[in-house]
Amino acid sequence: MSAATAQRSTIVERLTKSWLYIGLIGIGVVSFVRIITDTDDLTGAGTIRAAIIATCPILAAALGGLWAERAGVVNIGLEGQMILGTWGAAFFTYHYGPWVGILGAALLGLVGGLLHAIATVTFGVDHIVSGVAINLIGAGAATYLAEAVFPEYEGGGPRQLNGLEAPAQVTIPGVSDLANTISDQHWFFVSDVASVIQALTTNISTLSLLIFALVIISALVLWRTSFGLRLRSCGENPQAAETLGVNVYLYKYVAVLISGALAGIGGGFLALVASSGFSTGQTGGRGYIGLAAMIFGNWRPGGLLAGALTFGYTDSLRLRDTQSVHSLLLLVAIGLLMFAAWRACRKQVKGALVVAAAGALVMAWFLLTDSVPREFTVMTPYVTTMFVLALGSQRLRMPAADGKSYRRGSAG
Amino acid sequence: MNGRLKSVGLALLAPAIAIVLSILVTTLVIAAVGSSPGEFWSTMFEVPKPRLRVDIVNQTAMIYIAAVAAAIGFRMGLFNIGLEGQYTIASFSAATFAGAAYLGGFANVAASLVVAMVVGAAWAGIAGVLRATRGVSEVISTIMLNAIAVTLVGYFLNNYGVKEGNSVHTKNLPSGTTLGGWSPFEDRDGDIWALAIVAVLVGVGFWALLNKTRFGFDLRASGQSESAALASGINPKRMIVISMMLSGAVAGLIWMPALFGGARNYGTSFQVGLGFLGIAVALLGRNRPIGMLFGALLFAFLSVKSNDLTFGTDVSPSIVQITQGVAVLAVVVTYEVVRRWRTRLEQRAVSRELTATTGATA
């Protein structure tokens, strides 16, 4: 008993310590790059604020992916469910205000999830095939419904609905001002932390807070409750779960429905917070980026949060000035070189050399140019994911029965 | 004979149910938003005007090429979701090459087609190589490659394209190398593009490849059972890369009929979404050359005929996207149900015969 608790506490200690160190080093490097390249915008509160807004929809979609895939269902239909969510948010917000709007977004996403669950769980259709069909239906339905319904609304047209009420924003008075003063000093390290705090405490949307809270809730439910354990067992080994009396179909249904609802909320965020209204084609492939963030994060809540933040941060820099994107190159170069050094320490010579070469290339790119074309920043999440998959595919571990068709009674 | 008739009947059952289901859902959606489904269907089922008939043929050709590209992957058990990116980057490259006019006349057309195929194959090959060497799922990598292709083409177009007002496009084809086509009706109704013939060639080629060559056998074998294929001396990694590249090469041809027929440059006239339509049609047609032809015709008819909706009715043309999507989902579900049903029928037949023979010997 005592040994178990002792062991457990060391694991917790080790994990929190290593995350703490990585986090501290990360902030240090960012701060260093900011001062070297003289781009205060790199960690300005404005940038962080934009990054949070860009992160949230990706994060919601990634969470949706996590729920479905942990129960063994691959959900490529996230994009379609997200599109449905944008329409749902617009329609319900127009009539009943933002919070019902978010519920509406979740409801429409859930309908997309239900379609996916019926096709994949009940009928055993290939998960990718069903997902592709749902993306077609989602895009078509949102376009059609917008054209059919929104032109008659105030501020609406066949392809958009503007002037929707956004969910409330929160400011924590004392902290916000203090953080603002410190971040304006542009000190090493301290000001960077202060801008993050400032962004988190000044005019932050309650929906952002909700989505961040959902990450923690998902992690707790999936990994700390017996419900979560059963759900994950359906993704690892459904036959074994069935022999233990778990209703596999039910758990898969619940997981895919939650997945759709989360993607829908992500769509709702796009329509209500990230912009001031609905427009057709608003998601721009963010459902796919969410999927990428989840894979990047190795099917873990903490990992997908890191992935979504990375993608959201690059996405937000793109909208600001090209100068800060250029200094980001230095950041990437330093990051890669540090990663190479870490690999070299662990005697993985070949891997270290590959990463070091990539780092040197990015460094050369930084030193030889003054700006990065806008399109290259757009590509960043996709290229990063390709690299992570290509270099780290051995270390990524997805649920064992992920994407496999399962039929009730097949355990014999 | 009776058994054969029965199996044909079962094969047609699934698409029939799917079409009925998608008609039903479409009707319900239209009624739900308060429009008239009757008006919608009567407009859709009117005989199309000559101009639209020409459009339907052209669209069928392009969708069919896309469907064949998807089917090559499917038959191998690979999911090439990246058709969209492959034909985008291939079309751009071919249009750039053709516009530069290194060659004249027909040689330019032929060389451009080769460029399109090579670029498409190379882009798909990235996913193939990653899958074969690193075990990266081709679904994820092709989704990423789609996005990268679109942004990359945007970058090149913005920086090296010809600017004209608000739009950018590649250099126009030199006048000697547009192919025009054949106009079955009056001139103002437009041409059936000359390169629509590519669809026929690709379809026949696909059939011959699968059924008449060693490679086609290897491909189907690997698609059905990788271990069996390996046991009979097929190198699965090589098959993955080759079939992925083949799929990409065909994908490169998707938009070529339009480029040399009407568009004359890569720009605003480029038609996006054909890749996903192709995947849908391949699923609808069960990856069979004839089945996909009907699927492509159906989808082209729906897309083109929906243009009439803006005049006669208050239903917006995008409704057919729902019809198409539901048709695909319904068809895959009903195929699965029919397959299970058929297995059960066969099991029952076998057990009946078994009891009959054992009863006779006893």
Side-chain angles (χ1 to χ4, degrees), chain A residues 76 122-123 128-129 132 137 140-141 144-145 147 288 292 295 373 375 378-379 382 386 389-391 393-394 407, chain B residues 29 33 79 130 134 136 139-140 144 147-148 151-152 155 158 283 316 318-319 321-322 325 332-333 336-337 340:
Chain A
I76 294 271
T122 306
F123 291 109
I128 309 290
V129 169
V132 168
I137 296 175
Y144 173 70
L145 290 174
E147 285 174 6
Y288 294 128
I295 295 168
E375 287 86 353
V378 180
M379 269 187 248
Y382 307 105
M386 293 278 287
L389 281 169
L391 297 175
S393 60
Q394 271 78 12
R407 280 194 75 181
Chain B
V29 171
V33 298
F79 210 115
L130 281 178
R134 311 293 302 179
V136 178
V139 175
I140 306 298
M144 301 300 134
I148 297 173
T151 23
L152 209 56
Y155 168 73
N158 284 333
L283 293 169
S316 87
S318 49
I319 183 74
Q321 291 180 32
I322 303 184
V332 289
V333 168
E336 189 61 31
V337 173
R340 285 180 184 181

Side-chain angles (χ1 to χ4, degrees), chain A residues 24 26 36 43 61 68 73 132 161 168 184 187 201 237 247 287 289 295-296 300 304 333 343 367 384 399 405:
Chain A
L24 287 179
I36 283 260
T43 61
V73 178
V132 168
L161 181 61
D184 280 345
W187 289 329
T201 52
N237 191 340
N247 186 344
I289 301 189
I295 295 168
F296 181 88
R300 306 276 309 183
L304 69 82
R343 276 195 142 178
L367 293 173
T384 317
S405 173

Side-chain angles (χ1 to χ4, degrees), chain B residues 4-288:
Chain B
R4 194 179 167 78
L5 208 67
K6 206 168 159 187
S7 75
V8 170
L10 280 176
L12 289 180
L13 186 65
I17 295 175
I19 287 172
V20 171
L21 213 61
S22 54
I23 287 177
L24 213 68
V25 171
T26 311
T27 308
L28 284 176
V29 171
I30 292 174
V33 298
S35 303
S36 152
E39 250 174 38
F40 168 75
W41 289 114
S42 61
T43 312
M44 285 302 281
F45 284 140
E46 269 170 17
V47 177
K49 291 185 218 58
R51 181 179 185 75
L52 294 187
R53 271 180 254 170
V54 171
D55 278 354
I56 289 173
V57 173
N58 287 332
Q59 288 292 323
T60 304
M62 293 197 290
I63 296 175
Y64 187 72
I65 300 173
V68 170
I72 293 172
F74 278 130
R75 291 305 286 268
M76 166 67 202
L78 285 172
F79 210 115
N80 185 3
I81 264 194
L83 296 175
E84 198 69 29
Q86 287 145 24
Y87 93 90
T88 304
I89 202 159
S91 303
F92 171 77
S93 311
T96 309
F97 178 84
Y102 297 114
L103 302 164
F106 191 72
N108 196 21
V109 180
S112 305
L113 291 185
V114 172
V115 168
M117 289 176 76
V118 168
V119 172
W123 199 249
I126 299 175
V129 169
L130 281 178
R131 165 77 193 265
T133 59
R134 311 293 302 179
V136 178
S137 156
E138 78 282 2
V139 175
I140 306 298
S141 59
T142 50
I143 288 176
M144 301 300 134
L145 285 168
N146 277 349
I148 297 173
V150 172
T151 23
L152 209 56
V153 166
Y155 168 73
F156 283 119
L157 206 54
N158 284 333
N159 287 281
Y160 306 103
V162 181
K163 292 200 171 58
E164 206 180 272
N166 271 333
S167 66
V168 203
H169 58 78
T170 59
K171 267 190 202 158
N172 281 330
L173 299 185
S175 55
T177 58
T178 48
L179 287 174
W182 171 64
S183 58
F185 307 106
E186 287 169 45
D187 274 350
R188 63 185 163 84
D189 294 327
D191 291 341
I192 291 176
W193 298 323
L195 284 181
I197 195 78
V198 169
V200 180
L201 298 178
V202 160
V204 173
F206 175 62
W207 176 82
L209 178 83
L210 279 188
N211 298 303
K212 300 289 169 202
T213 66
R214 164 80 197 273
F215 177 79
F217 175 79
D218 290 356
L219 188 101
R220 283 182 296 144
S222 320
Q224 279 175 6
S225 163
E226 197 179 311
S227 51
L230 187 64
S232 62
I234 300 166
N235 179 349
K237 288 190 174 173
R238 205 175 135 254
M239 286 303 294
I240 288 174
V241 177
I242 292 181
S243 47
M244 203 68 193
M245 289 180 74
L246 197 60
S247 175
V250 175
L253 293 172
I254 294 174
W255 194 66
M256 291 300 106
L259 174 64
F260 290 100
R264 296 175 53 231
N265 61 45
Y266 180 104
T268 43
S269 55
F270 181 69
Q271 189 181 348
V272 297
L274 286 170
F276 282 111
L277 281 185
I279 293 172
V281 167
L283 293 169
L284 208 64
R286 261 349 233 169
N287 306 320
R288 301 293 189 280

Side-chain angles (χ1 to χ4, degrees), chain A residues 64-394:
Chain A
L66 179 78
W67 273 86
E69 303 221 356
R70 276 292 162 188
V73 178
V74 174
N75 191 358
I76 294 271
L78 286 173
E79 176 75 12
Q81 288 146 4
M82 212 168 176
I83 296 173
L84 286 171
T86 57
W87 187 88
F91 179 80
F92 285 96
T93 304
Y94 184 84
H95 288 288
Y96 309 105
W99 287 105
V100 181
I102 291 159
L103 286 180
L107 180 75
L108 266 278
L110 189 122
V111 170
L114 180 66
L115 276 181
H116 193 54
I118 291 173
T120 56
V121 180
T122 306
F123 291 109
V125 169
D126 184 281
H127 299 185
I128 309 290
V129 169
S130 165
V132 168
I134 282 166
N135 287 341
L136 285 177
I137 296 175
T143 313
Y144 173 70
L145 290 174
E147 285 174 6
V149 178
F150 290 161
E152 290 143 34
Y153 290 2
E154 197 188 324
R159 299 178 66 79
Q160 76 276 333
L161 181 61
N162 292 325
L164 295 170
E165 191 189 339
Q169 295 182 330
V170 204
T171 303
I172 303 173
V175 185
S176 165
D177 297 334
L178 185 65
N180 188 14
T181 340
I182 298 175
S183 86
D184 280 345
Q185 303 301 315
H186 304 305
W187 289 329
F188 175 72
F189 200 93
V190 182
S191 296
D192 303 293
V193 178
S195 349
V196 175
I197 295 173
Q198 190 197 346
L200 283 173
T201 52
T202 316
N203 291 335
I204 187 166
S205 170
T206 36
L207 190 53
S208 300
L209 295 176
L210 175 74
I211 290 175
F212 282 114
L214 282 173
V215 180
I216 300 166
I217 295 170
S218 298
L220 288 177
V221 171
L222 284 173
W223 272 272
R224 288 283 176 272
T225 65
S226 48
F227 167 80
L229 179 66
R230 290 190 194 117
L231 193 148
R232 283 183 298 122
S233 74
C234 298
E236 300 288 348
N237 191 340
Q239 282 83 6
E242 189 189 286
T243 59
L244 293 172
V246 174
N247 186 344
V248 177
Y249 278 22
L250 179 68
Y251 276 88
K252 285 193 182 227
Y253 258 89
V254 170
V256 178
L257 289 181
I258 291 176
S259 169
L262 284 167
I265 291 175
F269 187 93
L270 282 175
L272 299 181
V273 182
S275 55
S276 64
F278 167 90
S279 59
T280 308
Q282 193 166 28
T283 57
R286 281 189 184 77
Y288 294 128
I289 301 189
L291 200 70
M294 183 204 62
I295 295 168
F296 181 88
N298 197 12
W299 287 265
R300 306 276 309 183
L304 69 82
L305 178 64
L309 283 170
T310 313
F311 295 164
Y313 181 63
T314 41
D315 195 28
S316 67
L317 276 188
R318 163 174 72 95
L319 302 171
R320 300 182 75 79
D321 64 335
T322 45
Q323 177 67 35
S324 52
V325 176
H326 185 243
S327 23
L328 206 61
L329 282 179
L330 179 62
L331 188 65
V332 172
I334 293 178
L336 283 172
L337 290 175
M338 282 170 67
F339 185 53
W342 180 71
R343 276 195 142 178
C345 283
R346 304 184 111 206
K347 301 213 165 49
Q348 296 167 326
V349 181
K350 206 174 147 194
L353 283 177
V354 172
V355 178
L361 270 180
V362 179
M363 185 65 96
W365 187 6
F366 169 74
L367 293 173
L368 297 175
T369 58
D370 321 314
S371 69
V372 177
R374 200 181 57 81
E375 287 86 353
F376 283 72
T377 354
V378 180
M379 269 187 248
T380 314
Y382 307 105
V383 177
T384 317
T385 311
M386 293 278 287
F387 269 105
V388 169
L389 281 169
L391 297 175
S393 60
Q394 271 78 12

